[in-house]
Amino acid sequence: MPSRRFVSDRRPEASPPQLPSARQAAVIPDYDVEDEATYRALDFLDLDLTGRVAQSVEFDGCHFKGTDLGESVLDKSGFVDCLVENCNLANLRAGDATIRRVKISVSRLTGLQFINGGLRDVSFEHCRLDLATFRFCTLTDVVFSDCNMARVDFTNADLSRARFVDCVLAGAQFSHANLSGTRFTRCELVDIDGVTSLRGAVVEGHNLVALAHTLATALGITIESDD
């Protein structure tokens, strides 16, 4: 008998961040972002941190709200047990970085460059992630919910334990990605690249029409109308 491919029914869920109840407000310049600095149990509220360049920065148990980190470079940095709300992270670059037990909501991450990094127990809710890049990243128990992810780039990423719910993924790039077990629920999956990498993914039925056209294009199949 031919072997049957097993698809786990486990639905990836992100564990929430564990923020310390006692935190203090971060003020500038006392808590500006610097190389190899560690920031623990701090509230970064309505701060302008645009264009910062620092390596090996650690944020542990921090709350970011209304803060602007746009255009910053935070390579080899780490975020653990953090809550990010109503922030601007557009065009932030964080290569070889790690994110663990972090919730990001109602934030702008357009053009984010997160390359060769690791995300574990991370949730993105009501965020703009259009043109963001997650190349060569491993996403473990990561959930994207109600996010605009048009033209996001997941080239060579491991998404086997990721979940997308109510997301716009038009023009997304999945070339050479691992999507075996990835779940898509009520998502817009049109004009995606690397569609053959969706082998093993779990997709809701109403997405199949758009996927069929995208797959036909990738295989060079011409679809003619009935008239």
Side-chain angles (χ1 to χ4, degrees):
M1 295 178 62
S3 61
R4 296 180 62 185
R5 184 182 182 87
F6 175 74
V7 178
S8 173
D9 192 46
R10 182 183 182 279
R11 299 175 186 269
E13 298 292 344
S15 298
Q18 301 172 12
L19 271 73
S21 56
R23 303 187 303 274
Q24 68 180 83
V27 294
I28 304 300
D30 295 349
Y31 292 100
D32 208 338
V33 181
E34 299 177 348
D35 287 340
E36 300 182 355
T38 298
Y39 304 94
R40 185 172 287 111
L42 294 172
D43 286 333
F44 291 84
L45 307 178
D46 300 311
L47 297 181
D48 184 356
L49 297 173
T50 56
R52 298 306 196 265
V53 179
Q55 288 196 2
S56 303
V57 183
E58 299 290 332
F59 297 95
D60 188 347
C62 294
H63 181 198
F64 297 82
K65 187 172 184 179
T67 289
D68 193 340
L69 275 161
E71 309 287 344
S72 293
V73 180
L74 300 176
D75 291 336
K76 300 181 180 178
S77 296
F79 294 80
V80 179
D81 288 320
C82 292
L83 176 61
V84 181
E85 302 177 290
N86 300 99
C87 290
N88 178 36
L89 306 176
N91 298 312
L92 170 70
R93 192 178 79 198
D96 299 298
T98 58
I99 304 179
R100 182 162 55 92
R101 287 195 306 273
V102 172
K103 179 179 179 181
I104 304 175
S105 63
V106 199
S107 295
R108 182 172 179 244
L109 297 94
T110 299
L112 169 77
Q113 295 185 50
F114 196 85
I115 301 173
N116 198 38
L119 298 88
R120 178 182 291 270
D121 289 311
V122 180
S123 61
F124 296 86
E125 299 180 359
H126 312 292
C127 291
R128 283 194 60 181
L129 284 147
D130 50 315
L131 301 172
T133 297
F134 293 90
R135 287 174 172 250
F136 297 94
C137 287
T138 299
L139 287 73
T140 306
D141 294 333
V142 175
V143 180
F144 299 90
S145 180
D146 197 17
C147 293
N148 178 359
M149 306 183 71
R151 297 176 65 188
V152 67
D153 189 350
F154 286 112
T155 300
N156 287 106
D158 186 348
L159 300 165
S160 58
R161 289 175 62 179
R163 184 181 177 194
F164 299 83
V165 182
D166 295 314
C167 291
V168 175
L169 286 153
Q173 174 63 262
F174 291 109
S175 293
H176 308 293
N178 176 16
L179 286 91
S180 180
T182 307
R183 289 183 173 269
F184 297 92
T185 303
R186 298 184 303 276
C187 292
E188 183 179 326
L189 294 165
V190 296
D191 299 325
I192 60 176
D193 288 325
V195 66
T196 55
S197 293
L198 266 68
R199 179 181 176 86
V202 181
V203 182
E204 279 200 339
H206 81 277
N207 290 125
L208 292 180
V209 174
L211 274 179
H213 283 271
T214 303
L215 183 58
T217 300
L219 296 175
I221 298 173
T222 302
I223 301 177
E224 294 183 341
S225 61
D226 293 333
D227 34 306

